[in-house]
Amino acid sequence: MERGAALRAVRPCLRGGPPYAGGMYARRRRAYFWLMGGCLFLFVSAWSFVRLFSVEAAVALCVVAMVIPPVAAMVANRRGPDDRWWDDPSGDPKSDEWWDELDGKRRPED
């Protein structure tokens, strides 16, 4: 096996094929990891040592930690401006034809 053959098999964009969407998913995973890591840090720190100084502050940290998971899900599932989700065909030829007509890709024959 030649050098780098395994990498070219995994990343077809290196051969000029369609771009690999792994970067998009890596960005989403990274954002979700940092947000949920922050949530876990807030919750654990609130009840391990912040409660020793102020129970009210510990409760406030838990309230903030409670808000983070839904925000993390929204941030991690948001599509970026470079994600071309609107060009993906749905699989239904009638629906795809209708959307193509609305987007101006194909004009109906008069």
Side-chain angles (χ1 to χ4, degrees), residues 1 4 19-20 24-25 31 37 50 56 65-66 68 70 76 84-85 94-95 97 108:
M1 180 178 268
Y20 178 63
M24 173 182 60
Y25 297 120
V50 173
E56 292 83 9
M66 178 181 67
I68 292 176
R84 299 188 53 105
W85 57 271
K94 185 87 169 157
S95 174
E97 180 182 334

Side-chain angles (χ1 to χ4, degrees), residues 8-90:
R8 280 192 300 276
V10 173
R11 304 281 308 259
C13 66
L14 295 176
R15 295 185 311 233
Y20 178 63
M24 173 182 60
Y25 297 120
R27 176 185 48 82
R28 291 179 184 180
R29 282 192 309 264
R30 195 174 306 118
Y32 187 79
F33 170 78
W34 281 107
L35 286 168
M36 291 305 290
C39 174
L40 188 61
F41 174 76
L42 286 174
F43 185 75
V44 169
S45 65
W47 295 113
S48 60
F49 61 86
V50 173
R51 69 174 172 86
L52 300 174
F53 303 107
S54 171
V55 174
E56 292 83 9
V59 170
L61 285 177
C62 284
V63 169
V64 171
M66 178 181 67
V67 172
I68 292 176
V71 172
M74 287 185 280
V75 167
N77 289 318
R78 181 183 62 86
R79 293 190 188 251
D82 56 340
D83 302 339
R84 299 188 53 105
W85 57 271
W86 61 88
D87 287 344
D88 293 342
S90 67

